[in-house]
Amino acid sequence: MEKAEMFWSAAQDELKQGYIEDEWQYTCLLCGHAVQKGIIYPEEGVLYEAKRYIRIHIEREHRSVFEYLMDLDKKLTGLTEHQNRLLRLFYQGKNDAEVQKEMGIGSASTIRNHRFVLKEKERQAKLFLVMMELLKERDEHAPAFVPLHQKARMVDDRYNVTEDEKTLVLKKFFPNGSEVALKSFPPKEKQRLLILQEITKRFENGQKYEEKEINQILETVYHDHVLLRRYLIEYGFLDRTPDGSQYWLKK
């Protein structure tokens, strides 16, 4: 199962803790890093069993599940920038007076009103989740959509793609399989998204790549590796250092 699919199909409790568990391992929902059961992991002179170590991984690599989710695009969270900032301050343990001062809000009653609106949003979200779960049990015609990668940028209609459409696009642009070279670079945004998503499978999560390594990998995919590299960054699949010397898959 791909990382994006794991993330979006996870239960609420699993998302809250930031990882899923199966018979053999714990897997971070935020980046796909897996920790094998039955192995003792050393960290700064201390030995940890797998379940504790996956939590340490989340703290070290992502700070917290809350902060990771708050960093997602507002199209994914449904929060305005104002609400995002309020939630961050509440999470930091700020009281209403401190939040009022830090945000330059006129009165304490305004903070209480914001809290009420957020609580209302929570109630609506709970009901909507229940309604969607009930709908899934009855809706036999709902298409399977390609899951969004969490670090997607400019979330819009280009992400409105079904799994059937994805299969056709990959077959068209990778007629000999996605492990070999790309036939041509897609002209349409939706097609580009799917092709770029497929190309990311050639990179390892958590690994840093020198610019030369990135270019060598992308050259095996398409002759214009600079174009691929630019779009992988633009669509939020790759990140890099300011000087462009190192690249990695976005977590």
Side-chain angles (χ1 to χ4, degrees):
M1 185 184 295
E2 294 183 9
K3 180 167 73 77
E5 186 180 351
M6 281 195 303
F7 182 88
W8 294 113
S9 62
Q12 186 173 343
D13 286 344
E14 292 173 330
L15 274 176
K16 184 179 176 181
Q17 68 187 9
Y19 63 87
I20 55 173
E21 175 184 0
D22 61 28
E23 184 179 358
W24 307 107
Q25 63 188 19
Y26 298 97
T27 304
C28 176
L29 287 168
L30 314 183
C31 69
H33 178 73
V35 172
Q36 303 298 318
K37 290 182 177 180
I39 296 178
I40 301 299
Y41 294 86
E43 179 73 20
E44 297 182 351
V46 181
L47 301 177
Y48 296 97
E49 50 83 27
K51 188 172 185 178
R52 179 69 183 100
Y53 192 72
I54 192 67
R55 293 172 180 169
I56 290 173
H57 160 80
I58 290 171
E59 293 169 6
R60 183 182 63 230
E61 299 294 331
H62 310 291
R63 296 174 293 166
S64 70
V65 176
F66 179 88
E67 290 176 89
Y68 177 89
L69 296 177
M70 294 301 288
D71 285 339
L72 297 180
D73 190 279
K74 61 184 178 182
K75 288 283 188 71
L76 298 180
T77 64
L79 297 171
T80 65
E81 292 182 11
H82 190 72
Q83 290 171 331
N84 185 297
R85 191 177 175 197
L86 278 169
L87 284 172
R88 288 179 187 272
L89 292 172
F90 293 148
Y91 187 76
Q92 291 168 14
K94 307 276 188 183
N95 60 37
D96 286 8
E98 291 170 325
V99 173
Q100 178 187 346
K101 181 178 180 181
E102 187 153 343
M103 294 192 66
I105 293 174
S107 66
S109 61
T110 305
I111 301 294
R112 289 196 298 273
N113 183 62
H114 284 307
R115 286 187 181 275
F116 178 81
V117 171
L118 289 170
K119 195 67 181 176
E120 186 177 40
K121 193 177 185 71
E122 179 189 12
R123 289 192 291 265
Q124 292 169 343
K126 284 182 179 179
L127 293 178
F128 184 71
L129 283 173
V130 172
M131 289 187 286
M132 289 302 294
E133 287 298 319
L134 293 170
L135 177 61
K136 287 178 188 176
E137 296 174 5
R138 299 291 296 272
D139 188 1
E140 299 176 359
H141 307 290
F145 288 97
V146 174
L148 281 73
H149 59 292
Q150 299 98 287
K151 293 299 183 178
R153 295 178 177 176
M154 301 174 291
V155 180
D156 52 28
D157 188 59
R158 81 187 80 179
Y159 290 90
N160 181 11
V161 185
T162 67
E163 290 288 351
D164 289 340
E165 289 176 310
K166 177 181 177 179
T167 299
L168 292 174
V169 169
L170 292 181
K171 188 174 181 180
K172 177 179 179 180
F173 291 94
F174 283 116
N176 298 315
S178 58
E179 300 82 12
V180 295
L182 188 65
K183 182 179 179 182
S184 61
F185 192 67
K188 298 180 180 179
E189 294 282 353
K190 285 186 179 182
Q191 295 172 335
R192 288 177 184 173
L193 171 69
L194 297 172
I195 294 304
L196 294 168
Q197 194 172 45
E198 192 69 17
I199 291 171
T200 61
K201 294 179 181 179
R202 305 197 183 204
F203 302 100
E204 295 291 332
N205 276 316
Q207 183 172 335
K208 295 285 181 73
Y209 296 89
E210 302 294 328
E211 183 176 6
K212 183 179 179 181
E213 293 177 292
I214 283 284
N215 293 342
Q216 288 174 339
I217 293 170
L218 294 180
E219 282 172 353
T220 66
V221 183
Y222 191 58
H223 65 87
D224 192 346
H225 65 273
V226 175
L227 179 138
L228 290 185
R229 192 179 66 203
R230 176 164 59 85
Y231 275 108
L232 284 166
I233 292 170
E234 182 179 316
Y235 276 74
F237 289 109
L238 284 183
D239 206 348
R240 63 180 176 181
T241 55
D243 63 1
S245 61
Q246 287 191 319
Y247 295 76
W248 58 90
L249 282 177
K250 291 195 76 169
K251 297 177 180 179

